[in-house]
């Protein structure tokens, strides 16, 4: 039988991940996180647990059991509930599923912060005592040697923000990879590695400059420890909670 | 001239691609008549216009942009000036191979019931007479008129709702179309099936997971064979001397938990040699007995005649996902060579008759076990190449890659994933959609050249990122390949030296081909969502 409706093709159920890899790629997760922030976070929350009876990060669903079910639900919604159908193609829907399946990966870590933080106090800590603005930019204000935090509340969950503050060496999907690039001639650069191939290296240096270097002029590229200091022991439990509350409140243009 | 020939062939009712032509495909290098260029699976061409002395003069001749965001894994066919390819998932496009102008598009909308583990992809077509054959992701085999793009017949090969799909290019042997079913992550029971090319009627079937009464069923505990996987998703080969067709078989199911399937789990991770007329098994060799690491043996079986240990042999050459390069006698299946081409920790040496000595601790666990190579393997489905000219076998490799394999319980439910765990990728968590921040210790992609008889490494070209691209070699000792760094390369096949490269702005996950129209040689590869075709500046 020959079908001639290309639109049907777009609505068909998609598999997850790329060729024969059964794990999700980091690209999948990042695209999924973007789409989650755009489409889902309003109801399901940053932790994925804001709807009663559903905890997306822990695989607790009312109807879905498989990835395919989830893709279907994201596309078609659940009639009679608050879950609407979306115009989302299978690719994007599958990336959201990839993100959901990995949301919980850092949840086992035990928090040391107090339960309730104050956003206002946290902002003061961020800008003054913590000197965070020296490296982190928020909506156009602050340094560039650390990741821009303008939308970090959409990206990391509270437990991940805490981990990033007290244990900045830990790897996060949206972190940076600090490197030192030595050139054959002239001064080298320290910065965040953005991309690389056999012929070139791209980074954002600590001065805030985007640099693309030909490997023929590069002597070495080495991973270096993050220059973000650990704030473990520098803040008490309440201060930490305040800081996390503030950072978690950063969700893009207000 | 070309148009005249086309008109002539249509006008006279001439059947364009006979079995004789297919059987001798390597003798007409201006065409690319099968997935790997010939039924030997070598992806090697005798075209000689482009050579190391002029390859720097390659320029882009045309681009076909697919109306699809799926990964472009199809290898095109080229038949007398017409190029046929697949716009994923399952549209066929016929183009002028010299200009890229489209003649027709056959649109196919797969059933909503189709489910595929790893992308709505298709790896290509087969042709016999004037008919193109394509497997679909909803597990149908369709026959389409090569001149008009109109459907001739379509048959259900398997049930898509149970997780079956077809993703590889069919193989023609005589008057039959051979395909196998994919779905190794859905607890399928795999098979290879031959259809009469004229009618679509089933001629024979070989179960890759044997049932009760079939040899090999005793290698499965209890009823585990019923969901044993053994998928087929890369095209096999055919040797007219032996009349055997060779196919690589996929992983046993569930992938990462073998507790419920004690035994070797035949014929998962095997090469099977089947009588092409009857489908009867002549011999098999299992690369990874009782696999729990997803080391599908779905690579292209590469056939060649080489000297091994001082003796001329008809061999089958195989760089396996499990990280080893093998040479087998293709008449008997006798094990001749087995040598790691990358870091391997799942086995240490061989017992007699080529059975690997597995490392018991290199198995998935609840806490996670690090094993080399990782889940994507030392190589994967990406087409290798064998050059009779250099005597080297070329592997698109993931060198020094590992995964942390985690085991978990799983229960079979029709149409749902049945995998028994998951692998964690070795590379770090900072990767952007198109950016590569991989660390050196995470492993990297490479093109490797090994001695075809011994597996001894001759040269290696390293990338920073990994590669999913196949390899093409030519009689002028050129090697073409791509990678995820989006560069398309021409290398010196003897040394690995880079002779020419260009950035195509998209990763390559298919095999390059070469062909000629009106005396001009072309090289084609898909990158991102486009098919890029190069030729010499004139």
């Amino acid at each position: 039988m020959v079908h001639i409706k290309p639109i049907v093709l777009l609505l068909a159920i998609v598999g997850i991940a790329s060729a024969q890899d059964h794990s999700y790629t980091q690209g999948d997760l990042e695209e999924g996180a973007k789409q989650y922030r755009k489409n889902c976070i309003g109801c399901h929350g940053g932790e994925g647990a804001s709807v009663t009876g559903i905890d997306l990060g822990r695989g607790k669903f009312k109807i879905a059991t498989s990835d395919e079910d989830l893709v279907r639900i994201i596309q078609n919604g659940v009639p009679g509930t608050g879950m609407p159908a979306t115009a989302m193609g299978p690719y994007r829907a599958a990336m959201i599923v990839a993100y959901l399946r990995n949301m919980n990966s850092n949840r086992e870590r035990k928090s040391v912060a107090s339960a309730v933080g104050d956003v206002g106090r946290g902002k003061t800590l961020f800008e003054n005592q913590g000197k965070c603005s020296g490296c982190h930019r928020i909506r156009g204000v602050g340094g560039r040697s650390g990741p821009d935090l303008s939308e970090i509340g959409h990206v990391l969950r509270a437990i991940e923000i805490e981990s990033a503050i007290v244990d900045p060496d830990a790897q996060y999907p949206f972190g940076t990879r600090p490197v030192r690039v030595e050139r054959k001639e002239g001064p080298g650069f320290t910065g965040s590695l953005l991309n690389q191939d056999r012929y070139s290296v791209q980074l954002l240096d600590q001065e805030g400059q985007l640099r693309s270097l030909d490997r023929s002029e590069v002597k070495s590229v080495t991973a270096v420890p993050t220059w973000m200091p650990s704030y473990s022991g520098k803040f008490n439990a309440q201060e930490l909670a305040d800081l996390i509350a503030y950072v978690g409140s950063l969700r893009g243009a207000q | 001239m070309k148009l005249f020939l086309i008109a002539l062939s249509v006008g006279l009712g001439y059947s364009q691609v006979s079995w004789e032509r297919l059987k001798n495909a390597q003798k007409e290098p201006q065409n690319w008549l099968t997935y790997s260029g010939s039924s030997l699976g070598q992806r090697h061409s005798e075209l000689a216009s482009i050579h190391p002395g002029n390859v720097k003069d390659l320029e882009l001749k045309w681009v076909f942009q697919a109306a699809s965001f799926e990964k472009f894994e199809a290898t095109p066919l080229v038949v007398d000036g017409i190029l046929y390819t697949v716009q994923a998932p399952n549209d066929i496009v016929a183009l002028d191979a010299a200009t890229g102008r489209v003649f027709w598009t056959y649109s196919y909308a797969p059933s909503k019931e189709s489910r595929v583990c790893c992308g709505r992809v298709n790896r290509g077509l087969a042709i016999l007479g004037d008919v193109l054959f394509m497997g679909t992701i909803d597990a149908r085999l369709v026959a389409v008129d090569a001149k008009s793009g109109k459907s001739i017949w379509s048959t259900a090969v398997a049930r898509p709702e149970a997780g079956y799909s077809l993703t590889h290019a069919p193989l023609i042997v005589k008057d039959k179309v051979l395909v196998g079913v994919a779905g190794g992550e859905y607890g399928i029971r795999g098979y290879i099936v031959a259809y009469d090319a004229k009618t679509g009627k089933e001629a024979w079937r070989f179960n890759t997971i044997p049932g009760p009464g079939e040899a090999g069923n005793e290698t499965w505990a209890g009823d585990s064979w019923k969901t044993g996987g053994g998928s087929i998703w890369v095209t096999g080969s055919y040797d007219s001397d032996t009349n055997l067709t060779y196919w690589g078989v996929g992983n046993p199911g569930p992938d990462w938990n073998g507790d419920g399937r004690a035994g070797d789990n035949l014929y998962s991770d095997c090469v099977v040699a089947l009588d092409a007329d009857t489908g009867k098994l002549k011999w098999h060799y299992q690369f990874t007995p009782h696999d729990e690491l997803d080391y599908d043996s779905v690579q292209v079986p590469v056939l060649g005649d080489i000297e091994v240990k001082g003796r001329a042999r008809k061999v089958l050459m195989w760089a396996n996902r499990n990280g080893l390069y093998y040479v087998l006698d293709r008449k008997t299946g006798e094990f001749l060579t087995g040598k790691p081409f990358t870091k391997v920790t799942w086995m240490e040496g061989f017992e007699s008759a080529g059975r690997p000595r597995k490392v018991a601790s290199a198995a998935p666990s609840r806490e996670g076990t690090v094993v080399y190579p990782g889940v994507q393997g030392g190589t994967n489905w990406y087409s290798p190449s064998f050059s009779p000219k250099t005597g080297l076998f070329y592997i698109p490799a993931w060198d020094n890659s590992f995964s942390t394999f985690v085991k978990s319980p799983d229960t079979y439910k029709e149409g749902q994933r049945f995998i028994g765990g998951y692998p964690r990728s070795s590379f770090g968590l900072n990767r952007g959609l198109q950016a590569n921040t991989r660390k050196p210790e995470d492993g990297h992609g490479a093109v490797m050249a090994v001695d075809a008889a011994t597996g001894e490494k001759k040269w290696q070209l390293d990338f920073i990122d990994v590669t999913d691209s196949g390899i093409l070699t030519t009689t002028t000792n050129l090697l073409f390949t791509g990678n995820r760094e989006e560069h398309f390369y021409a290398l010196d096949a003897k040394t690995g030296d880079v002779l020419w490269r260009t950035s195509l702005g998209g990763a390559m996950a298919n095999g390059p081909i070469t062909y000629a129209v009106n005396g001009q040689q072309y090289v084609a590869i898909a990158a991102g969502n486009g098919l890029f075709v190069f030729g010499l500046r004139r």
Side-chain angles (χ1 to χ4, degrees):
Chain A
M1 187 166 57
V2 180
H3 304 269
I4 50 166
K5 298 176 188 164
I7 191 69
V8 177
L9 185 152
L10 291 173
L11 295 174
I13 302 307
V14 68
I16 319 292
S18 54
Q20 284 61 56
D21 44 350
H22 311 288
S23 58
Y24 303 117
T25 67
Q26 211 47 49
D28 295 340
L29 301 186
E30 292 180 21
E31 179 61 21
K34 269 191 216 163
Q35 294 299 329
Y36 183 85
R37 295 198 302 270
K38 203 168 157 188
N39 298 285
C40 318
I41 205 164
C43 296
H44 287 282
E47 305 283 322
S50 299
V51 176
T52 308
I54 296 173
D55 188 342
L56 300 177
R58 287 190 173 82
K60 187 176 172 191
F61 310 111
K62 281 182 174 169
I63 303 167
T65 56
S66 67
D67 290 358
E68 287 76 16
D69 291 343
L70 289 169
V71 170
R72 204 173 284 137
I73 289 169
I74 291 167
Q75 292 188 303
N76 302 335
V78 181
T81 72
M83 177 71 190
T86 63
M88 200 174 293
Y91 173 77
R92 283 187 189 169
M95 295 307 103
I96 290 179
V97 174
Y99 176 64
L100 298 183
R101 292 300 193 196
N102 281 269
M103 256 180 125
N104 205 29
S105 56
N106 280 306
R107 282 199 180 182
E108 301 310 316
R109 195 177 173 284
K110 207 171 160 125
S111 172
V112 295
S114 297
V116 182
D118 180 273
V119 171
R121 287 201 306 261
K123 185 170 191 290
T124 305
L125 283 169
F126 187 94
E127 291 168 353
N128 300 317
Q129 198 180 336
K131 297 178 182 163
C132 310
S133 299
C135 299
H136 293 289
R137 204 167 180 85
I138 296 169
R139 293 198 288 279
V141 179
R144 281 200 170 99
S145 63
D148 189 302
L149 300 182
S150 301
E151 298 183 347
I152 198 71
H154 279 321
V155 178
L156 297 185
R157 290 168 292 124
I159 189 72
E160 293 168 326
I161 294 170
E162 179 179 337
S163 185
I165 293 170
V166 301
D167 184 13
D169 275 330
Q171 289 269 317
Y172 281 105
F174 307 94
T176 57
R177 186 176 154 204
V179 291
R180 173 72 191 168
V181 179
E182 297 292 356
R183 293 195 295 170
K184 288 174 183 163
E185 288 178 16
F189 302 103
T190 301
S192 299
L193 182 67
L194 299 181
N195 198 1
Q196 60 183 334
D197 67 6
R198 192 180 155 82
Y199 302 99
S200 64
V201 179
Q202 288 73 38
L203 72 153
L204 176 64
D205 74 13
Q206 281 186 304
E207 311 303 317
Q209 293 295 315
L210 287 168
R211 296 194 181 276
S212 187
L213 302 166
D214 195 287
R215 283 200 190 263
S216 63
E217 59 175 302
V218 168
K219 199 160 111 191
S220 63
V221 182
T222 46
V224 295
T226 176
W227 44 88
M228 162 128 176
S230 168
Y231 286 81
S232 179
K234 293 180 187 167
F235 292 126
N236 64 34
Q238 184 56 55
E239 288 170 328
L240 200 52
D242 294 341
L243 194 57
I244 293 165
Y246 170 62
V247 173
S249 75
L250 300 170
R251 298 192 169 191
Q254 304 293 306
Chain B
M1 179 65 176
K2 186 182 67 195
L3 285 175
F4 171 72
L5 281 176
I6 294 165
L8 188 71
S9 63
V10 172
L12 299 180
Y14 168 64
S15 175
Q16 197 172 8
V17 184
S18 64
W19 167 239
E20 277 305 303
R21 283 186 71 185
L22 287 175
K23 200 168 73 173
N24 299 303
Q26 58 272 36
K27 292 180 185 164
E28 43 177 301
Q30 74 277 19
N31 291 316
W32 194 269
L33 296 178
T34 72
Y35 178 70
S36 297
S38 79
S39 59
L40 301 177
Q42 295 179 351
R43 204 167 280 260
H44 176 80
S45 172
E46 294 296 320
L47 288 181
S49 299
I50 303 172
H51 53 72
N54 63 14
V55 69
K56 65 178 191 311
D57 295 327
L58 280 180
E59 65 176 15
L60 185 65
K61 293 297 182 185
W62 57 266
V63 181
F64 165 70
Q65 291 286 355
S68 166
F69 290 120
E70 309 293 345
K71 203 155 33 145
F72 206 143
E73 295 193 355
T75 289
L77 299 181
V78 177
V79 183
D80 305 333
I82 314 296
L83 184 145
Y84 301 98
T85 193
V86 179
Q87 172 176 277
N90 289 130
D91 298 338
I92 304 174
V93 187
L95 312 100
D96 180 331
T99 65
R101 297 298 298 167
V102 173
F103 290 111
W104 52 257
T105 302
Y106 164 83
S107 297
Y108 181 88
S111 159
K112 284 188 178 184
E113 289 297 333
S114 67
R115 54 204 75 189
V116 279
C117 71
C118 312
R120 292 155 54 84
V121 297
N122 178 280
R123 302 192 181 88
L125 307 161
I127 188 165
L128 179 65
D130 296 320
V131 184
L132 294 161
F133 301 92
M134 173 179 64
T136 68
I137 59 164
D138 56 352
R140 298 187 72 86
L141 178 63
V142 298
V144 174
D145 185 280
K147 304 294 165 62
S148 67
K150 302 298 180 196
S151 175
I152 297 171
W153 56 257
S154 164
T155 189
V157 177
R159 294 170 53 237
E161 61 273 26
Y164 291 83
S165 57
L166 267 65
T167 57
H168 69 84
L171 177 72
I172 303 295
V173 179
K174 301 176 186 175
D175 57 351
K176 296 182 181 67
V177 190
L178 278 58
V179 290
V181 291
E185 280 60 61
Y186 293 87
I188 65 155
R189 182 183 171 213
Y191 51 87
I192 298 161
V193 57
Y195 293 95
D196 182 293
K198 283 209 161 50
T199 63
K201 198 175 153 196
E202 183 172 325
W204 57 253
R205 179 181 293 225
F206 171 76
N207 290 316
T208 59
I209 307 298
E214 293 178 306
N217 181 256
E218 71 284 357
T219 65
W220 294 87
D223 283 342
S224 60
W225 60 274
K226 289 183 177 172
T227 52
S231 56
I232 303 285
W233 43 277
V234 164
T235 309
S237 303
Y238 172 74
D239 177 12
S240 52
D241 289 346
T242 58
N243 195 37
L244 293 177
T245 181
Y246 306 91
W247 292 78
V249 183
N251 62 280
D255 304 43
W256 298 292
N257 187 341
D259 292 352
R261 48 176 173 83
D264 279 356
N265 305 143
L266 292 175
Y267 295 97
S268 70
D269 293 359
C270 284
V271 50
V272 293
L274 309 177
D275 182 299
D277 298 327
T278 65
K280 294 276 184 287
L281 180 70
K282 289 295 181 184
W283 59 261
H284 75 273
Y285 173 76
Q286 190 171 37
F287 299 99
T288 315
H290 190 73
D291 172 25
E292 293 184 290
L293 303 167
D294 196 18
Y295 290 156
D296 297 75
S297 292
V298 287
Q299 297 72 43
V300 174
V302 182
L303 313 183
D305 299 341
I306 61 173
E307 195 172 286
V308 183
K309 292 169 190 161
R311 191 177 144 197
R313 312 224 28 168
K314 290 182 175 298
V315 301
L316 184 158
M317 296 164 275
W318 203 296
N320 197 279
R321 186 163 168 172
N322 71 14
L324 281 87
Y325 172 74
Y326 297 83
V327 182
L328 307 175
D329 182 303
R330 73 171 179 267
K331 281 185 179 168
T332 63
E334 181 190 349
F335 174 85
L336 301 174
T337 301
K339 187 179 172 65
F341 57 83
T342 185
K343 183 172 178 181
V344 165
T345 62
W346 67 272
M347 62 88 77
E348 42 189 12
F350 288 93
E351 297 167 11
S352 59
R355 185 181 175 84
R357 250 194 313 277
K358 289 182 70 177
V359 174
S361 58
S365 60
R366 286 175 67 92
E367 311 73 40
T369 309
V370 171
V371 185
Y372 289 77
V375 66
Q376 293 281 19
T379 186
N380 204 304
W381 65 275
Y382 337 122
S383 291
S385 180
F386 167 65
S387 167
K389 198 79 182 282
T390 61
L392 300 180
F393 188 94
Y394 302 94
I395 309 168
W398 288 35
D399 201 11
N400 291 322
S401 69
F402 65 92
S403 292
T404 304
F405 291 90
V406 180
K407 175 157 86 176
S408 64
D410 215 336
T411 307
Y412 175 76
K413 196 172 170 195
E414 183 178 284
Q416 297 195 1
R417 281 173 191 248
F418 183 55
I419 53 181
Y422 54 94
R424 288 199 293 260
S425 295
S426 65
F427 53 84
L429 292 170
N430 288 333
R431 191 169 169 164
L433 271 177
Q434 293 177 313
N436 169 32
T437 55
R438 175 178 284 262
K439 296 176 181 173
E441 58 268 33
D442 296 328
H444 58 90
V447 180
M448 295 180 182
V450 301
D451 181 286
T454 64
E456 185 195 342
K457 201 169 286 177
K458 292 299 184 183
W459 58 257
Q460 174 167 337
L461 177 73
D462 289 331
F463 307 129
I464 307 294
D465 207 343
V466 294
T467 177
D468 314 294
S469 171
I471 293 174
L472 163 76
T473 57
T474 71
T475 193
T476 58
N477 290 331
L478 287 176
L479 182 154
F480 292 93
T481 194
N483 59 18
R484 279 199 199 168
E485 293 175 1
E486 306 172 348
H487 297 293
F488 184 46
Y489 283 98
L491 308 181
D492 183 323
K494 290 180 294 186
T495 62
D497 291 343
V498 177
L499 301 177
W500 172 84
R501 69 181 168 94
T502 187
S503 174
L504 298 183
M508 282 144 269
N510 55 96
I513 67 163
T514 187
Y515 61 91
V517 182
N518 294 331
Q520 165 124 36
Q521 183 181 353
Y522 298 88
V523 179
I525 188 154
N529 304 111
L531 176 70
F532 294 77
V533 179
F534 296 88
L536 291 174
R537 201 172 297 127
R538 277 189 156 175

